[in-house]
Amino acid sequence: MDMKNVLNLRILLALVVSLTIVSCSRNSSKNTSRATGWKINDKNGGFQYNDKFQEQETAPGLVFVEGGTFTMGKVQDDVMHDWNNSPNQQHIQSFYMDESEVTNIMYTEYLDWIKRTYPPEEENYRLIYQGALPDTLVWRNRLGYAEMMTENYLRHPGYGEYPVVGVSWIQAVEFASWRTDRVAEMKLQEAGYLERDSQLTSSADSNFNVDTYINAPTMTYGGNDSIINPEKSRRRVQTTAAGDTINQYARRESGLISPDYRLPTEAEWEYAALGMSELRSFNVYRGRKKYPWDGQYTRSGKRKTKGDQLANFKQGKGDYGGIAGWSDDGADITAQVMSYEPNDYGIYDMAGNVAEWVYDVYRPIVDDEFNDFNYVRGNVYYKNAINEDGTVKVITPDEIVYDTLSNGRIVARNLPGEIAQVPVDENETYLRPNFDKSDNINFRDGDTRSSRLYAESFDEDADESKSTTNKMYNSPKHNVQRDSLGNLIKEFDTSNQRTSLINDEVRVYKGGSWRDRAYWIDPAQRRYFPQDMATDYIGFRCAMSRVGSKSQGTKKRN
């Protein structure tokens, strides 16, 4: 062997040894901080962190939707001439979406929990249960018979797997919050942080809330230590150098507590409805896909199912399902969820059946010039209320606040066991470039500076939120209150100067329903409805943000 080959061999061996040392060093430092060199997860105390976390577990009822870019608002038809949509390129982060609409059985499970925890026979809690009840009278029609649905649709087992309706946007948000707490409660029980079957002990004085557990764990379940620190716990505990045990609660660093269930944003809903996981054909990518399925038609073109309808919608005047026994869509009102094929994400009923609430406050435009990443309109930022002693303020049964909605219904703004919330102030907004106030609903569209009346009405000393807000959207301003006896005091706005129904309390809903023609099942179509009202054709489903990698099962890039 000549000297050149010997030299190359030595260099190769040196590289192998060097890489081996680096690899061993990385492996050996897995439980050692690369910042300080101190041990992580030392059994004698110190910094505790879940260094074995791989990726977010898919929560109950959800499917994964990998994020990406798409053309939002690409409607194929505009026969209504709404002019409330224009194509714009958006990027969506990966998230999770319910595989189907929230069903009657899911919602009645929520009602059962409310009834057990806050018994309506007790005067202090009566309005909590009533405020959560769906409006079953939405089925009634002056010239139609619908008493069977009014009496049976919500609770009868025959409709158990049908989408819940009669639920307002506000009620849908409260359901998502309840679902967040119940799923987290189950995960913490399984991990040994909470006593098994502790959910059966829930009461107004002893209740579980995720935010309370994270910020003030000793106040969870009303401070019941036997539930919060079970004797037969499988959780990891810290000990001092003297061997004394330190109670340890699951924190964000544990990886056990998932992000909240919530309503999807309009952009997320439209992206998920298009079902573009198998895309990457030019026509689909540029927004030319009309429905959640491939093709431009509502009937199946496959040999086995040729001619069958692919969604539940109104096919024509007086035709809600087709001719019985022939090309029928299988439903005259709503259909059982998952009755039709899912889209490429594995999500069902993103066209037809019921339209669905999304998070966004409605505006005729989507301001993609300001933001084209996870777009949403409706952000109102809050923070935890703090007591004088520096602790968070947890709501007690005597501190429940009720709101009277525009239709006279009363709902609880907060529940016992939750942390009181207050708007962010200058302590959070001072010199921030990304936001400067709590309520950002009217940002660049409805606030003073975006109004054509800005120049003549701007006053540097005036409160911008009260000066000319809503002059761009001159909607009726009704006032509904209840007196001390519970009687409604209704003051209707009878002005002839109102020009719009758009205000800060109307929310977007997406997708067509069993009452809608095929025109509305295009995922890009958008409509709006008051957030505190309900119908027999609007339901909802939940979403959840994803933490960590963009894709499932993604390995770290070399």
Side-chain angles (χ1 to χ4, degrees):
M1 182 180 297
D2 57 27
M3 290 299 296
K4 184 177 181 180
N5 288 335
V6 171
L7 181 60
N8 289 338
L9 182 59
R10 288 179 176 176
I11 293 174
L12 181 60
L13 288 172
L15 286 172
V16 170
V17 171
S18 176
L19 289 173
T20 302
I21 292 173
V22 170
S23 177
C24 291
S25 175
R26 287 178 177 174
N27 291 336
S28 64
S29 64
K30 185 174 183 180
N31 293 321
T32 303
S33 169
R34 289 192 288 117
T36 63
W38 289 102
K39 293 288 186 181
I40 298 176
N41 298 324
D42 193 310
K43 65 180 180 179
N44 293 319
F47 179 50
Q48 300 293 308
Y49 195 86
N50 182 3
D51 55 0
K52 295 181 174 58
F53 184 83
Q54 296 297 317
E55 69 175 1
Q56 183 175 344
E57 180 181 349
T58 304
L62 304 178
V63 296
F64 175 69
V65 179
E66 183 175 343
T69 186
F70 81 114
T71 303
M72 180 181 177
K74 181 67 175 178
V75 293
Q76 301 295 312
D77 306 295
D78 191 18
V79 299
M80 303 296 290
H81 298 293
D82 284 335
W83 302 107
N84 69 349
N85 234 339
S86 58
N88 61 94
Q89 199 77 3
Q90 293 285 339
H91 191 96
I92 304 299
Q93 271 188 298
S94 296
F95 64 102
Y96 298 84
M97 179 82 92
D98 265 337
E99 61 180 344
S100 76
E101 307 99 319
V102 170
T103 62
N104 285 318
I105 192 172
M106 294 165 68
Y107 201 88
T108 50
E109 179 187 2
Y110 165 54
L111 293 176
D112 177 73
W113 184 90
I114 291 283
K115 196 170 188 177
R116 286 187 289 105
T117 307
Y118 308 105
E121 57 269 18
E122 296 186 27
E123 183 61 26
N124 196 36
Y125 306 135
R126 177 173 54 86
L127 296 177
I128 295 178
Y129 182 70
Q130 291 182 0
L133 285 171
D135 183 3
T136 58
L137 300 184
V138 295
W139 289 105
R140 285 181 172 168
N141 186 310
R142 293 181 183 87
L143 296 178
Y145 177 75
E147 291 309 291
M148 185 274 293
M149 274 91 79
T150 297
E151 296 169 359
N152 294 285
Y153 184 80
L154 174 64
R155 299 187 184 275
H156 196 285
Y159 290 117
E161 292 297 336
Y162 283 58
V164 67
V165 296
V167 174
S168 69
W169 181 92
I170 292 174
Q171 291 174 314
V173 169
E174 290 302 313
F175 172 88
S177 297
W178 166 83
R179 190 176 176 185
T180 297
D181 291 340
R182 302 290 74 76
V183 171
E185 187 178 27
M186 179 186 66
K187 298 295 291 184
L188 292 174
Q189 282 188 28
E190 293 174 346
Y193 285 92
L194 297 177
E195 181 68 32
R196 283 283 185 175
D197 298 325
S198 55
Q199 79 280 4
L200 301 177
T201 67
S202 290
S203 67
D205 299 315
S206 179
N207 188 21
F208 177 86
N209 176 261
V210 171
D211 291 335
T212 303
Y213 182 84
I214 292 173
N215 292 280
T218 59
M219 302 181 73
T220 309
Y221 286 108
N224 190 331
D225 191 67
S226 63
I227 296 178
I228 308 168
N229 293 298
E231 293 182 2
K232 298 180 180 180
S233 173
R234 294 187 290 107
R235 71 188 188 281
R236 182 186 300 174
V237 297
Q238 287 181 276
T239 55
T240 64
D244 298 323
T245 300
I246 303 173
N247 289 333
Q248 183 175 328
Y249 305 97
R251 298 174 294 182
R252 291 288 185 193
E253 294 89 339
S254 70
L256 286 171
I257 301 174
S258 299
D260 294 347
Y261 283 89
R262 56 177 174 78
L263 290 182
T265 66
E266 179 182 3
E268 287 175 334
W269 194 97
E270 188 173 329
Y271 179 83
L274 286 170
M276 299 188 296
S277 65
E278 299 301 325
L279 76 96
R280 308 304 189 227
S281 73
F282 177 79
N283 284 343
V284 176
Y285 179 77
R286 297 307 301 174
R288 297 177 185 173
K289 187 177 183 183
K290 187 172 184 178
Y291 299 119
W293 53 82
D294 292 333
Q296 299 292 310
Y297 305 100
T298 63
R299 295 184 183 272
S300 173
K302 298 178 181 179
R303 179 175 297 180
K304 289 184 178 180
T305 57
K306 195 165 187 176
D308 288 351
Q309 290 288 0
L310 296 172
N312 174 25
F313 62 95
K314 184 178 180 180
Q315 298 176 31
K317 182 175 176 57
D319 184 358
Y320 288 83
I323 301 173
W326 181 84
S327 191
D328 191 281
D329 67 14
D332 38 27
I333 54 169
T334 56
Q336 182 170 318
V337 299
M338 304 184 188
S339 294
Y340 301 90
E341 291 295 316
N343 67 9
D344 289 338
Y345 285 127
I347 304 176
Y348 293 83
D349 302 323
M350 295 298 276
N353 215 18
V354 289
E356 300 178 20
W357 289 114
V358 295
Y359 179 80
D360 297 54
V361 170
Y362 176 81
R363 290 292 184 266
I365 64 168
V366 171
D367 189 359
D368 63 311
E369 292 184 1
F370 186 83
N371 182 39
D372 56 6
F373 182 77
N374 284 347
Y375 183 89
V376 67
R377 178 176 289 280
N379 285 323
V380 181
Y381 300 122
Y382 292 94
K383 62 180 179 178
N384 295 335
I386 305 298
N387 294 314
E388 292 182 358
D389 61 359
T391 60
V392 293
K393 179 176 178 54
V394 178
I395 300 296
T396 65
D398 297 328
E399 298 174 321
I400 305 172
V401 177
Y402 295 97
D403 291 325
T404 302
L405 306 181
S406 65
N407 56 4
R409 295 194 69 170
I410 297 179
V411 297
R413 184 189 304 175
N414 47 36
L415 296 176
E418 298 178 349
I419 298 177
Q421 299 291 299
V422 295
V424 298
D425 53 30
E426 61 180 7
N427 292 324
E428 288 76 35
T429 62
Y430 180 65
L431 292 183
R432 281 191 182 274
N434 51 332
F435 70 98
D436 59 4
K437 59 183 178 180
S438 171
D439 188 339
N440 296 274
I441 290 175
N442 286 304
F443 180 66
R444 284 171 59 97
D445 191 62
D447 59 3
T448 302
R449 289 190 170 94
S450 61
S451 171
R452 64 186 177 85
L453 303 175
Y454 169 67
E456 63 188 63
S457 62
F458 179 65
D459 181 356
E460 292 183 355
D461 299 324
D463 182 349
E464 180 180 322
S465 65
K466 297 179 181 178
S467 55
T468 59
T469 298
N470 287 331
K471 284 198 174 183
M472 179 175 287
Y473 302 104
N474 188 20
S475 61
K477 295 176 175 60
H478 307 302
N479 185 24
V480 181
Q481 295 180 341
R482 287 186 181 268
D483 60 20
S484 59
L485 299 177
N487 299 315
L488 275 180
I489 303 174
K490 296 172 285 188
E491 298 177 5
F492 292 101
D493 186 342
T494 58
S495 170
N496 294 324
Q497 306 302 315
R498 303 306 181 190
T499 59
S500 173
L501 292 177
I502 301 173
N503 55 44
D504 293 351
E505 284 76 46
V506 294
R507 300 282 173 166
V508 178
Y509 69 95
K510 299 282 283 184
S513 74
W514 64 277
R515 279 194 177 276
D516 294 313
R517 301 288 185 96
Y519 168 77
W520 291 109
I521 65 177
D522 181 342
Q525 298 288 359
R526 57 201 304 259
R527 291 175 281 181
Y528 63 91
F529 202 73
Q531 66 182 19
D532 53 8
M533 298 180 68
T535 75
D536 62 353
Y537 60 86
I538 300 180
F540 70 101
R541 72 180 75 213
C542 296
M544 179 184 289
S545 300
R546 176 173 171 82
V547 297
S549 62
K550 179 177 183 287
S551 303
Q552 281 188 322
T554 301
K555 295 181 179 180
K556 186 181 292 186
R557 294 170 183 256
N558 292 327

